[in-house]
Amino acid sequence: MSNPRATRTSGPSATVPVPPTSPWSPEEIVEEAVAGDEREWVPASQAGVWIRPLLFDTVHGAWVNVVRMRTEGFISRHHHPAPVHAHVLKGSWRYLERDWVATEGSYVFEPPGDTHTLWANPGESLTVFHISACLVEVDEAGNPLSHTDVFSRIEQASRHYAAVGLGADYVKKYIR
């Protein structure tokens, strides 16, 4: 709506003024966080773990995804140079270095530079992660092994979508 006086109804008698949307604003993304189409789940490097992309923010170097774990045990030892936010939708997991367990409904804030070992508890878990900058895989001594950023996640998803018949460009719906 380009009319600054435009309104939308949100109920039988309520009207809410809607400011104009900038023509420079990217489109909204509205997706099911837990995709019903298995082809939308991108296999992670660890067996029994998948990633469901929701947003690839190339301007800020961040991404939002749902991580689905259907395995138990070691997933990844890593750290992030920027904050990470997590919200557990289902199941539970923990970091071996901590005395807490992230359970359904939990919110977890990971401060920049935090190194941790992700451990999957029994049963399926689904967690929304908002990751900025990158994820750096490290060995037991904390030495870097590899890293993942928004562009490598885009490449990973694009290859997967091409392989499962959705097409390499399917990933573009998540890129902003």
Side-chain angles (χ1 to χ4, degrees):
M1 294 181 185
S2 59
N3 181 343
R5 297 182 185 261
T7 60
R8 289 187 190 153
T9 58
S10 59
S13 61
T15 55
V16 179
V18 179
T21 301
S22 169
W24 305 108
S25 179
E27 290 184 38
E28 298 166 328
I29 297 175
V30 180
E31 289 287 327
E32 292 180 4
V34 182
D37 185 344
E38 283 298 314
R39 298 175 303 166
E40 293 184 323
W41 290 94
V42 178
S45 57
Q46 180 76 16
V49 181
W50 295 265
I51 300 163
R52 161 68 164 128
L54 297 174
L55 169 68
F56 293 120
D57 182 348
T58 60
V59 173
H60 295 101
W63 67 97
V64 178
N65 55 218
V66 178
V67 173
R68 178 175 71 183
M69 296 184 282
R70 289 181 173 167
T71 188
E72 181 180 355
F74 175 85
I75 303 300
S76 167
R77 180 176 298 105
H78 61 271
H79 75 263
H80 309 272
V84 172
H85 304 270
H87 179 239
V88 182
L89 303 175
K90 177 182 178 183
S92 66
W93 50 268
R94 62 192 178 103
Y95 293 143
L96 293 181
E97 300 81 4
R98 308 293 185 271
D99 62 359
W100 50 262
V101 175
T103 58
E104 186 171 326
S106 294
Y107 166 78
V108 177
F109 170 76
E110 300 173 16
D114 186 55
T115 299
H116 42 263
T117 307
L118 178 56
W119 188 269
N121 290 333
E124 180 180 69
S125 70
L126 299 164
T127 303
V128 177
F129 284 95
H130 178 189
I131 301 167
S132 299
C134 65
L135 179 151
V136 181
E137 298 276 350
V138 297
D139 64 17
E140 290 181 7
N143 300 308
L145 299 172
S146 64
H147 81 281
T148 301
D149 63 18
V150 68
F151 298 103
S152 56
R153 284 288 190 221
I154 290 169
E155 288 294 328
Q156 177 187 18
S158 180
R159 285 191 306 273
H160 169 74
Y161 293 144
V164 298
L166 293 172
D169 285 349
Y170 190 79
V171 72
K172 289 182 178 179
K173 67 191 268 181
Y174 306 116
I175 299 173
R176 297 294 185 270

